[in-house]
Amino acid sequence: MREQMQERIEQLVQEYREGEAMLADLDRRRTELQATLLRISGALQVLQELIGPVAAGAAPADPQPAAAAS
């Protein structure tokens, strides 16, 4: 019985470590995606300012997403 519990402990420790590694990877990917979106937003803003609202006859689109919970 004790041997089975020890094996289960080892399995759970391994699963926990894998979960931590996955979470760290997701955090890194989220940071990279936020940087990419920021660059795209900046490019949109520059292009919209260069074209001006007169070109399309309408107000420029708002590239900023609604505030998201972090």
Side-chain angles (χ1 to χ4, degrees):
M1 178 72 157
R2 182 170 173 82
E3 197 173 300
Q4 290 174 332
M5 287 190 286
Q6 188 61 39
E7 286 178 16
R8 184 63 179 146
I9 288 171
E10 291 171 10
Q11 290 173 347
L12 290 172
V13 166
Q14 181 62 31
E15 288 179 27
Y16 187 85
R17 288 181 181 150
E18 290 171 1
E20 284 182 317
M22 289 173 59
L23 185 57
D25 184 53
L26 287 172
D27 286 340
R28 179 190 54 79
R29 291 173 57 192
R30 178 187 175 102
T31 299
E32 290 173 358
L33 183 55
Q34 285 176 325
T36 299
L37 290 174
L38 185 59
R39 284 193 300 273
I40 291 170
S41 174
L44 280 169
Q45 182 178 354
V46 168
L47 291 172
Q48 288 172 340
E49 288 174 3
L50 287 173
I51 291 175
V54 177
D62 181 11
Q64 300 298 323
S70 294

